[in-house]
């Protein structure tokens, strides 16, 4: 079995306007990097659209209608202070969420060992009824709830190493003991949630805030001391990764100092837990990452580790 790579050209047509950090070039540099020879054996698949039923497990129908109604026929429209939509954004958002659901199906069904979804817009800031932080639909939460309903499993975990706290995923998961969310993130930083004391209804939320300028040693220590043991204790039957690469030392939006090697390291550690509790089933989805060369190299390190699982 091999690693899958899900993407769709529609994700390039989500236009956020001149100078916006969450730009289509992010996806272009990732896809170009994954054309390299070492990635020859990725199983490349086109992302389908998420269905209304899949999205409705996280977002009320009225919210979905509101997002779609905000998509302009031309030009740009702001759905919050930094979340911009263009004519192609609705299709991109459906493909981004659909990629994670399709990857879940392929991994749960035994067609793929694991998968990476190179998609945008990202999702982890999208709350059930609130678009924010460049995010429209919560791709990983939609994938997690789809996995549980479609495949009859009890426990799904999301691990989020984006530099920002995934407030949307936490909001979707915190009152559901069958869903687990663990996040490393810089604090203080947008969106301001993710304090260590936020535990969820059953200890199913694990927040590991890191101070600005923390680097590899602090990140790895937090993972080894808390994130990885608590993840293993939860014993997920499927692990979904919110793979943001903006904790990289080169990233302009935050001050953590991770390197490509740290992304390889955490991916390997997560795969080891998944091999013990989830038959190795891992689906990863792109979140942030705004320095284009660092985004490409860190994503390559992450996908390399997935392929060597
Ligand atoms: Zn981020």
């Amino acid at each position: 079995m091999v690693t899958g790579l899900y993407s769709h050209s529609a994700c390039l047509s989500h236009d956020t306007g001149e100078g916006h950090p969450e730009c289509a070039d992010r996806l272009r540099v990732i896809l170009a990097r994954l054309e390299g020879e070492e990635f020859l054996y990725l199983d490349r698949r086109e992302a389908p659209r998420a269905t209304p039923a899949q999205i409705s497990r996280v977002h009320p129908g009225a919210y979905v209608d509101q997002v779609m109604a905000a998509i302009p026929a031309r030009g740009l429209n702001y759905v919050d202070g930094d979340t911009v939509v263009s004519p192609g954004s609705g299709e991109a958002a459906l493909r981004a969420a659909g990629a994670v659901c399709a990857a879940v199906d392929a991994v749960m069904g035994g067609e793929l060992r694991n998968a990476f979804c190179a998609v945008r817009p990202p999702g982890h800031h999208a709350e059930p009824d609130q678009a924010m932080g460049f995010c429209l639909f919560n791709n990983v939460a939609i994938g997690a709830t789809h996995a549980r309903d479609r495949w009859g499993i009890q426990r799904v975990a999301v691990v989020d190493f984006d530099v920002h706290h995934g407030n949307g995923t936490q909001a979707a998961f915190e009152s559901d003991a069958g869903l687990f969310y663990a996040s490393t993130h810089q604090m203080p930083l947008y969106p301001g949630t993710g304090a260590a004391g936020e535990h969820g209804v059953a200890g199913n939320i694990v927040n590991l805030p890191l101070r600005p300028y923390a680097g590899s040693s602090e990140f790895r220590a937090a993972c080894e001391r808390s994130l990885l043991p608590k993840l293993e204790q939860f014993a997920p039957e499927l692990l979904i990764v919110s793979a943001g690469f903006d904790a990289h030392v080169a990233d302009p939006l935050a001050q953590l100092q991770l390197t490509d090697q740290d992304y390889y390291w955490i991916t390997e550690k997560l795969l080891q837990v998944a091999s013990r509790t989830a038959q190795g089933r891992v689906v990863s989805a792109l979140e942030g990452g705004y320095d284009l060369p660092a985004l490409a190299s860190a994503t390559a390190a992450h996908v390399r580790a997935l392929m060597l699982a």
Side-chain angles (χ1 to χ4, degrees):
M1 280 203 294
V2 298
T3 296
L5 172 62
Y6 284 83
S7 193
H8 196 281
S9 58
C11 294
L12 296 170
S13 301
H14 165 52
D15 179 8
T16 49
E18 190 79 34
H20 195 290
E22 203 293 281
C23 59
D25 280 347
R26 298 179 59 240
L27 192 50
R28 289 194 186 95
V29 299
I30 288 171
L31 293 174
R33 186 70 182 74
L34 296 179
E35 286 299 316
E37 195 177 359
E38 66 174 309
F39 300 108
L40 192 63
Y41 293 106
L42 285 173
D43 186 334
R44 288 152 212 275
R45 299 185 174 200
E46 188 152 279
R49 294 189 186 103
T51 65
Q54 288 168 343
I55 297 170
S56 73
R57 294 191 185 99
V58 173
H59 301 287
Y63 169 77
V64 178
D65 293 346
Q66 184 192 322
V67 168
M68 290 307 178
I71 307 296
R74 65 183 69 82
L76 303 175
N77 191 20
Y78 279 76
V79 297
D80 93 330
D82 52 16
T83 310
V84 187
V85 290
S86 68
S89 298
E91 181 73 9
L94 292 175
R95 299 284 179 178
V100 181
C101 293
V104 162
D105 288 342
V107 168
M108 291 301 301
E111 290 170 41
L112 297 172
R113 183 195 299 143
N114 54 42
F116 179 67
C117 301
V119 291
R120 57 185 288 277
H124 72 153
H125 293 307
E127 299 195 349
D129 57 6
Q130 180 67 51
M132 57 185 277
F134 318 159
C135 301
L136 299 175
F137 298 144
N138 196 309
N139 306 321
V140 296
I142 291 168
T145 49
H146 169 69
R148 215 165 44 161
D149 280 15
R150 168 70 179 78
W151 293 92
I153 55 177
Q154 306 299 314
R155 295 177 309 283
V156 182
V158 169
V159 171
D160 184 336
F161 53 66
D162 189 280
V163 80
H164 302 97
H165 179 244
N167 58 292
T169 313
Q170 177 168 311
F173 283 20
E174 61 193 351
S175 59
D176 188 330
L179 298 171
F180 174 96
Y181 175 70
S183 173
T184 56
H185 46 272
Q186 179 178 320
M187 185 170 262
L189 188 67
Y190 181 91
T193 50
E198 299 167 18
H199 292 303
V201 71
N204 57 318
I205 302 292
V206 175
N207 283 310
L208 299 165
L210 300 167
R211 58 174 180 78
Y213 305 105
S216 301
S217 57
E218 292 93 338
F219 172 75
R220 294 188 187 202
C223 291
E224 290 194 311
R225 188 182 62 243
S226 176
L227 189 151
L228 294 163
K230 287 177 177 168
L231 175 66
E232 185 142 3
Q233 188 176 20
F234 176 75
E237 294 158 275
L238 170 70
L239 173 60
I240 300 181
V241 182
S242 263
F245 299 97
D246 42 9
H248 196 283
V249 63
D251 197 273
L253 264 55
Q255 289 76 42
L256 293 191
Q257 301 190 330
L258 301 193
T259 64
D260 294 351
Q261 289 71 33
D262 294 314
Y263 291 108
Y264 187 90
W265 178 86
I266 187 59
T267 307
E268 211 174 31
K269 292 287 181 189
L270 292 173
L271 286 162
Q272 287 166 6
V273 175
S275 74
R276 290 192 288 270
T277 74
Q279 301 172 41
R281 297 182 295 222
V282 175
V283 170
S284 175
L286 180 65
E287 300 283 1
Y290 304 99
D291 178 81
L292 298 182
L295 175 62
S297 63
T299 303
H302 175 60
V303 175
R304 187 178 300 128
L306 289 175
M307 292 177 77
L308 294 174

